[in-house]
Amino acid sequence: MAAESERVDRSSHSMDKSITLPPNEIFRNLENAKRFAIDIGGSLTKLAYYSTVQHKVAKVRSFDHTAKDTEDDPLYEISMQEEILARLHFIKFENAYIETCLDFIKDHLVNTDTKVIKATGGGAHKFKDLIEKKLKLRVDKEDEMTCLIKGCNFVLRNIPHEAFVYVKHADSEFRFQNTHPDIFPYLLINIGSGVSIIKVESEDTFERVGGSSIGGGTFWGLGALLTKTKRFDELLQLASKGQHTSVDMLVKDIYGGSYVSLGLTGDLIASSFGKSATADKEFSKEDMAKSLLHMISNDIGQLACLYARLHNLTRVYFGGFFIRGHPVTMHTITYSINFFTKQVTEPHLTELTSQGEVQALFLRHEGYLGTIGAFLKGAEEDNPNQYSWGENYAGSSGLMSTSPDLNPMQRARSGTFPFDMLEMDRLERQLVNLPLLQDPSSYIPDTVDLSEDALAREYWLYCFEEALDGVVKRAVASQPDLPEAAERAEKFRHKYLHKLQTLRHQPFAYGSLTVRSLLDTREHCLNEFNFPDPYSKIKQRENDMALKYFQKAVKSLEELSWEQRQFALVRGLLAGNVFDWGAKAVSDVLESDPEFGFEQAKRQLEERPWLIDNYDQWLERLNGPPHKCALFFVDNSGIDIILGVFPFVRELLCRGTEVVLASNSSPALNDVTNNELQILTERIAAMDPVIQSAVKEDRLTLVQSGSSSPCLDLSHLQRHFREFGSTSNRPHTTPA
């Protein structure tokens, strides 16, 4: 049986005890940590722990309006409250620093009642005594393969854009895959010292179907003999600089060109290290390392392809310390799989596969699979799979440079300490696909992938940098009674700028780079520094102002003919959507001209035909029977929801259509939240008998979307949306 774990690093370097760790950057929130797990491989240690994080949330509460209102009475009050958030922390570092890290954890671990640390990996036995001595925790060893599978299932299920295809010759080398609703079955190729090939059929059903003794340990061992280089990453660095053709014998070296009748191009490797037997010269360390890497990667790729075909599987994930996000390794494995599935046609298409063919997939967090699985084994009583989990971009370092050299920005964060972090926050609700999606597996909520479009990427990064001053200003203004708010806002500015700079150089750090991910990263950073709702005061002011015009707007609509009213209602939706503080051009207008209002926005709308214009079909449908139900995903507070959406909803209700208004569960930009929407609906119902009767008769209902993002994602909604999957409950879906 091939070795399944990373071998213990016997290189000459010893544990580094001189380093100083920045406590607020790496082992965050240790004072509230519990449930530890550790995965120790041949050169890297991966540590996991669970913590509870206390953070501020913005709450709104309606004032008592039974007494006589005055003109200046606010609609509701805003308060900041403390809530407890569950968070998972994963930290990866070199084994050389394990003793220093354990000392640091021991010194900062104050509120834990944990007695056991779950451990996996080939180095767990070697460091068992050290861990128990330093942390006073009993080491409980878990099966390595079980942990690996549990971890892989967890990241595939919870992290969007976790898996990617590596395409060397494309503008963007990383092609991230959509999260499939059903992650099973798949093949996992774990490349440690040897290779294990595991067929995974369900959460708890997997089988080791094959393997090989030629794996990462082979590359490390033979590489050390050939180059006298003892460290794994140094071997990869040598390989990245080498030319394998100096050492390998190619098809054209034997036949003078391609072997056409066998379909072999001249540049294919006919014999690894073939030239070394006859050439009377010394070969460079770089060239030998490159040749060795090609030889082993090609062998693994062919083996993976054969097993995938044998078991009729198309999804093949590669993990283990051999990968390390190294481009040469990923490219060679991908090329090998594509070659053996007969998909290689032209050199620039070597990584493109047809639908249904075996595809080499790599994972952003493949280095964490074992420790995630070990942690889950230790937390089974809490049933972590009953929740959805989301990556916290503010606390995660992301997928760094694929160069064997440490990314300079990554190293600069902590002096000389090379580390990598992943943080995941527990969502207090399980998120599901909207059943109305025609094909959830092909659904993409974003229109542009900025990691593939350099011009668009630079444009949007510039926009977010330019808007940062305004965000900082509004964050401080949202907490006027807290004198330290300005200091926290500056810390937010620094952190978010750093994230933008990282994404400029590493656009693939958090998967596909989109406007959504830039907005989400900003929201995560704001929450990190206790600014849960920077737009709270703006929303309050705009809601108050728009409510004063609601009855006038309804009266003017009722004076129109039926057809004129339908067109005016649609124009009202479009004009209301202008009031989005997430758009820099809009925020600039609203900052410079606070009186800019609904009528001005309508006057600035373009004439038909609009960019996407289905109005004629909509009008034709309105001449038919009423819809049974309309599901309306609402957007901005103020003019948008009150003067744009509610009149439109009112018209649907008058037609006999039931309406469901779905709003954000938590704040994002100036989007209306579910708590705010409940108060707004209550006030509008007091003014309007149509809305009032619809609320009383449950023909107008309000639901939380489950989102805390400014952008709509129909694959991440609260579980109650499942009821819309039945034929009788199918609504007309309207994103606002």
Side-chain angles (χ1 to χ4, degrees):
M1 174 177 170
E4 295 178 354
S5 61
E6 302 173 26
R7 69 179 185 178
V8 175
D9 186 2
R10 296 182 175 85
S11 57
S12 58
H13 68 289
S14 58
M15 290 186 290
D16 189 336
K17 303 178 183 180
S18 62
I19 197 163
T20 300
L21 305 184
N24 295 324
E25 290 189 26
I26 304 176
F27 298 101
R28 289 156 37 104
N29 206 43
L30 264 176
E31 64 275 10
N32 295 317
K34 55 183 178 179
R35 290 198 191 90
F36 284 85
I38 196 166
D39 176 14
I40 307 176
S43 60
L44 294 175
T45 294
K46 286 78 69 177
L47 180 74
Y49 60 92
Y50 166 96
S51 78
T52 52
V53 182
Q54 195 169 36
H55 70 125
K56 292 187 183 298
V57 293
K59 295 287 187 181
V60 296
R61 184 174 66 86
S62 179
F63 284 118
D64 182 6
H65 292 281
T66 56
K68 184 178 180 181
D69 294 344
T70 65
E71 184 84 2
D72 297 325
D73 277 346
L75 177 63
Y76 51 78
E77 66 173 337
I78 306 166
S79 63
M80 295 296 165
Q81 300 178 15
E82 297 287 341
E83 275 194 2
I84 301 298
L85 173 74
R87 178 172 289 171
L88 300 182
H89 305 256
F90 304 97
I91 302 101
K92 181 166 58 179
F93 51 87
E94 292 183 12
N95 288 354
Y97 307 116
I98 189 169
E99 188 166 357
T100 299
C101 291
L102 292 176
D103 283 334
F104 184 89
I105 294 169
K106 177 189 67 176
D107 293 340
H108 291 79
L109 200 59
V110 292
N111 292 328
T112 184
D113 54 1
T114 301
K115 304 299 181 186
V116 175
I117 181 169
K118 294 289 185 178
T120 188
H125 175 74
K126 175 183 177 181
F127 292 104
K128 176 178 181 292
D129 292 342
L130 180 67
I131 294 169
E132 292 185 336
K133 175 185 175 184
K134 294 286 186 183
L135 300 184
K136 310 300 183 190
L137 300 177
R138 177 172 57 84
V139 172
D140 188 3
K141 186 84 161 58
E142 291 289 341
D143 177 71
E144 185 172 358
M145 207 53 61
T146 301
C147 292
L148 193 71
I149 301 304
K150 276 189 172 293
C152 191
N153 293 341
F154 184 84
V155 297
L156 289 175
R157 185 180 293 108
N158 286 284
I159 304 182
H161 304 144
E162 172 63 26
F164 62 90
V165 176
Y166 184 76
V167 189
K168 183 178 180 181
H169 300 290
D171 291 336
S172 174
E173 297 182 349
F174 297 82
R175 297 279 178 85
F176 291 96
Q177 308 295 293
N178 293 335
T179 302
H180 199 283
D182 186 6
I183 63 174
F184 306 110
Y186 64 85
L187 205 64
L188 178 63
I189 314 298
N190 187 50
I191 314 171
S193 296
V195 179
S196 283
I197 301 174
I198 306 106
K199 179 183 178 182
V200 185
E201 297 183 274
S202 71
E203 189 66 44
D204 299 307
T205 306
F206 62 89
E207 176 189 6
R208 185 183 188 276
V209 294
S212 171
S213 61
I214 301 174
T218 312
F219 174 70
W220 199 349
L222 283 178
L225 291 173
L226 290 168
T227 68
K228 309 304 179 188
T229 300
K230 296 294 184 181
R231 298 193 65 179
F232 189 86
D233 285 329
E234 290 177 7
L235 276 172
L236 288 178
Q237 188 174 12
L238 287 174
S240 68
K241 299 175 181 177
Q243 292 292 330
H244 76 98
T245 54
S246 301
V247 183
D248 293 340
M249 187 174 291
L250 309 182
V251 169
K252 65 184 178 183
D253 294 326
I254 301 174
Y255 299 105
S258 301
Y259 200 140
V260 179
S261 62
L262 293 182
L264 304 176
T265 65
D267 291 328
L268 281 177
I269 299 172
S271 174
S272 296
F273 288 91
K275 290 180 180 176
S276 62
T278 57
D280 187 21
K281 65 173 184 177
E282 292 289 326
F283 295 99
S284 72
K285 293 180 179 181
E286 291 82 1
D287 292 347
M288 289 189 290
K290 184 66 165 287
S291 175
L292 182 62
L293 186 62
H294 270 271
M295 180 181 77
I296 292 170
S297 298
N298 276 324
D299 183 66
I300 294 170
Q302 182 180 18
L303 200 61
C305 177
L306 293 173
Y307 274 100
R309 286 194 157 187
L310 180 65
H311 293 277
N312 196 29
L313 297 173
T314 58
R315 282 178 284 186
V316 182
Y317 298 103
F318 289 85
F321 85 100
F322 180 67
I323 303 294
R324 295 283 183 96
H326 196 277
V328 176
T329 308
M330 294 189 295
H331 170 64
T332 310
I333 288 175
T334 302
Y335 182 92
S336 177
I337 279 192
N338 290 339
F339 177 81
F340 289 107
T341 53
K342 303 299 181 185
Q343 291 302 304
V344 176
T345 54
E346 300 293 334
H348 64 285
L349 297 176
T350 54
E351 272 96 357
L352 301 182
T353 60
S354 298
Q355 187 174 8
E357 291 291 340
V358 178
Q359 196 170 32
L361 296 166
F362 304 94
L363 301 172
R364 281 202 291 134
H365 299 103
E366 59 88 13
Y368 289 113
L369 302 187
T371 190
I372 291 174
F375 174 84
L376 293 174
K377 288 286 288 181
E380 286 178 341
E381 67 268 26
D382 290 338
N383 191 13
N385 284 327
Q386 71 178 308
Y387 303 101
S388 290
W389 298 80
E391 184 172 3
N392 175 26
Y393 298 144
S396 298
S397 49
L399 183 65
M400 287 294 107
S401 172
T402 54
S403 167
D405 295 318
L406 272 176
N407 181 279
M409 295 179 68
Q410 183 184 15
R411 182 177 288 278
R413 282 182 296 203
S414 59
T416 61
F417 186 74
F419 69 94
D420 183 85
M421 298 182 302
L422 166 65
E423 287 186 357
M424 300 190 70
D425 290 339
R426 189 179 77 187
L427 309 177
E428 297 306 321
R429 50 206 173 262
Q430 193 172 46
L431 302 182
V432 299
N433 285 293
L434 181 69
L436 298 173
L437 288 175
Q438 187 173 14
D439 180 12
S441 63
S442 63
Y443 169 68
I444 301 174
D446 303 290
T447 54
V448 180
D449 186 344
L450 302 179
S451 61
E452 297 182 7
D453 189 332
L455 287 176
R457 178 169 69 248
E458 188 53 41
Y459 168 79
W460 280 106
L461 289 172
Y462 172 78
C463 285
F464 277 88
E465 287 171 346
E466 285 293 293
L468 194 50
D469 285 344
V471 177
V472 169
K473 175 184 173 183
R474 286 184 281 277
V476 175
S478 70
Q479 299 178 3
D481 300 328
L482 298 176
E484 82 285 357
E487 181 182 351
R488 284 187 283 113
E490 285 305 312
K491 290 180 179 178
F492 152 73
R493 181 204 300 274
H494 176 77
K495 183 151 199 170
Y496 188 58
L497 265 179
H498 173 78
K499 292 291 181 182
L500 293 177
Q501 290 163 4
T502 298
L503 289 168
R504 179 171 273 114
H505 298 287
Q506 310 286 157
F508 46 78
Y510 300 109
S512 293
L513 181 62
T514 63
V515 175
R516 169 200 310 280
S517 65
L518 290 170
L519 286 165
D520 287 348
T521 303
R522 188 168 72 185
E523 294 296 322
H524 293 180
C525 291
L526 282 165
N527 279 299
E528 188 74 18
F529 296 101
N530 278 323
F531 292 108
D533 196 356
Y535 292 82
S536 57
K537 300 292 185 183
I538 291 173
K539 290 189 292 181
Q540 185 183 43
R541 183 178 70 246
E542 292 183 348
N543 286 331
D544 284 334
M545 179 189 69
L547 277 171
K548 295 173 183 176
Y549 292 96
F550 175 74
Q551 289 174 303
K552 180 181 177 182
V554 169
K555 186 175 184 297
S556 65
L557 286 166
E558 289 181 331
E559 292 171 352
L560 301 174
S561 68
W562 181 86
E563 191 162 329
Q564 288 174 328
R565 186 165 68 250
Q566 304 315 311
F567 187 63
L569 286 166
V570 171
R571 281 176 54 83
L573 281 178
L574 296 175
N577 202 241
V578 165
F579 294 85
D580 187 337
W581 283 80
K584 184 177 185 301
V586 174
S587 63
D588 287 346
V589 170
L590 297 178
E591 290 273 21
S592 60
D593 183 7
E595 299 303 315
F596 182 84
F598 194 42
E599 296 304 318
Q600 292 94 320
K602 283 194 286 188
R603 285 196 293 270
Q604 292 194 14
L605 287 178
E606 292 186 11
E607 298 297 321
R608 294 186 64 202
W610 300 311
L611 181 62
I612 299 176
D613 193 332
N614 297 315
Y615 177 73
D616 292 334
Q617 295 94 312
W618 171 249
L619 193 64
E620 182 181 350
R621 176 62 183 84
L622 289 181
N623 281 303
H627 301 88
K628 176 178 174 54
C629 180
L631 171 59
F632 211 118
F633 291 91
V634 300
D635 193 4
N636 309 302
S637 292
I639 288 175
D640 186 10
I641 181 67
I642 296 169
L643 301 183
V645 172
F646 263 103
F648 189 90
V649 166
R650 187 179 182 278
E651 184 77 10
L652 292 176
L653 292 169
C654 289
R655 281 174 48 82
T657 299
E658 295 180 10
V659 177
V660 179
L661 296 182
S663 54
N664 270 14
S665 301
S666 304
L669 291 174
N670 66 316
D671 292 356
V672 64
T673 65
N674 185 258
N675 286 340
E676 293 162 346
L677 185 57
Q678 289 183 31
I679 296 172
L680 292 177
T681 304
E682 175 188 317
R683 291 302 305 277
I684 291 173
M687 299 184 224
D688 189 280
V690 174
I691 300 297
Q692 186 178 65
S693 63
V695 171
K696 286 183 177 179
E697 297 165 8
D698 289 330
R699 292 186 294 111
L700 173 60
T701 55
L702 313 179
V703 298
Q704 297 185 48
S705 67
S707 174
S708 57
S709 170
C711 301
L712 179 63
D713 184 350
L714 297 177
S715 67
H716 283 73
L717 299 175
Q718 276 200 235
R719 294 187 66 169
H720 51 233
F721 284 91
R722 282 179 173 170
E723 69 185 58
F724 295 123
S726 64
T727 304
S728 61
N729 289 325
R730 283 182 177 268
H732 183 87
T733 310
T734 309

